[in-house]
Amino acid sequence: PREDVITLMWSFVVSIYSIGGLLGSLFAGYLSVRFGRKKAMLFANIPALLSAALMGLSRLCGSFEMIIAGRLFSGVCGGLGLNIHLMYAGECAPQKLRGLTAITASTAIAIGKLAGFALGLKEVLGVDDLWPVLMATNAIPALIQLLTLPFFPDSPRYLLIDKKDKEACLKAVKQLWGNGDHKAEIDDMVAEQEAICGEEAKSVCDLIRDRSVRWQLITLFLVSSCMQLIGANMV
């Protein structure tokens, strides 16, 4: 193909991850409420494994389209996983550790990028014969999560507010936080359940029109926009 066509294909390979991330983010809220945080996180590993298979076998099949499709599914996994992980980790952590637990997402992203750079070195997997293996390494964390997450309970908040199962919520709380006195945290969840009783989940349009969270939304929008402009993504 011509050089401009090759450049276009490379652009698709790089940028379609963000399109997948957008799609995954749009469905994260629905899946986390419909199936629960834990099951939704397990579901997010399906596009991760599919993307690893497509990209890992692309050279064998002689198909660059498989790389593009694999990157799309990898983005879907990222969009789902990041959003649902923050919900699950924050809701599973006791109140005094909630902020610290939420920060682990940013730490894990930084470690993942560092691992990607290290694995991409010519001395490791960044050579002609091994690049399909490099592109399939995202299957490793997906498999680890599939093997370990089933042993963890679902989010206590989800069990109480969405499932309305107080007994399962108490069981999850004891498994996560031990047998101490957790009455204050459970009372907070009960109060939240009563406050939102009868309310439907808001859509993106509802969120934009809601004046009560207008300044929070503007603040988050500005911070997120600045993150895209500081050069980290370009690096």
Side-chain angles (χ1 to χ4, degrees):
R2 301 191 312 273
E3 186 175 344
D4 59 335
V5 176
I6 293 175
T7 303
L8 180 64
M9 290 303 102
W10 272 115
S11 301
F12 267 112
V13 169
V14 173
S15 61
I16 204 163
Y17 178 88
S18 300
I19 305 298
L22 175 63
L23 294 173
S25 298
L26 290 173
F27 287 101
Y30 169 76
L31 290 174
S32 63
V33 174
R34 178 72 174 79
F35 300 105
R37 293 12 169 188
K38 187 174 83 169
K39 287 181 180 178
M41 286 181 69
L42 290 171
F43 175 80
N45 292 304
I46 296 174
L49 295 173
L50 185 57
S51 74
L54 286 168
M55 293 189 289
L57 297 172
S58 59
R59 183 173 185 175
L60 184 65
C61 298
S63 170
F64 68 87
E65 294 91 348
M66 290 175 67
I67 301 176
I68 295 174
R71 287 276 294 170
L72 176 67
F73 284 116
S74 185
V76 171
C77 170
L80 286 172
L82 180 59
N83 286 284
I84 300 170
H85 164 82
L86 286 170
M87 280 190 283
Y88 182 71
E91 292 173 4
C92 285
Q95 200 166 15
K96 59 182 179 181
L97 297 176
R98 198 161 292 161
L100 179 65
T101 305
I103 292 296
T104 59
S106 301
T107 307
I109 291 171
I111 293 171
K113 288 183 177 181
L114 179 62
F117 287 136
L119 291 173
L121 294 172
K122 291 183 179 179
E123 293 79 7
V124 190
L125 296 176
V127 293
D128 287 346
D129 294 334
L130 295 177
W131 67 259
V133 179
L134 173 63
M135 299 186 78
T137 51
N138 62 329
I140 297 173
L143 288 171
I144 292 173
Q145 191 180 77
L146 280 173
L147 293 172
T148 57
L149 190 59
F151 296 99
F152 287 79
D154 215 326
S155 155
R157 181 190 176 280
Y158 165 76
L159 293 170
L160 181 64
I161 294 178
D162 294 313
K163 297 289 287 184
K164 296 178 174 57
D165 190 341
K166 190 170 183 179
E167 186 177 336
C169 172
L170 290 170
K171 184 179 178 181
V173 164
K174 288 181 181 179
Q175 186 177 346
L176 288 165
W177 305 342
N179 292 318
D181 183 16
H182 307 297
K183 187 176 184 299
E185 281 97 342
I186 294 174
D187 287 344
D188 284 343
M189 287 187 279
V190 171
E192 184 180 354
Q193 182 188 29
E194 292 173 352
I196 65 174
C197 184
E199 287 192 17
E200 295 183 358
K202 286 182 170 58
S203 66
V204 175
C205 292
D206 292 333
L207 181 65
I208 293 172
R209 288 194 294 261
D210 190 346
R211 291 181 177 273
S212 65
V213 293
R214 181 68 50 81
W215 282 108
Q216 294 93 320
L217 190 63
I218 291 172
T219 303
L220 285 171
F221 177 78
L222 290 174
V223 172
S224 299
S225 299
C226 291
M227 283 294 294
Q228 306 306 315
L229 298 172
I230 61 173
N233 291 333
M234 184 60 71
V235 172

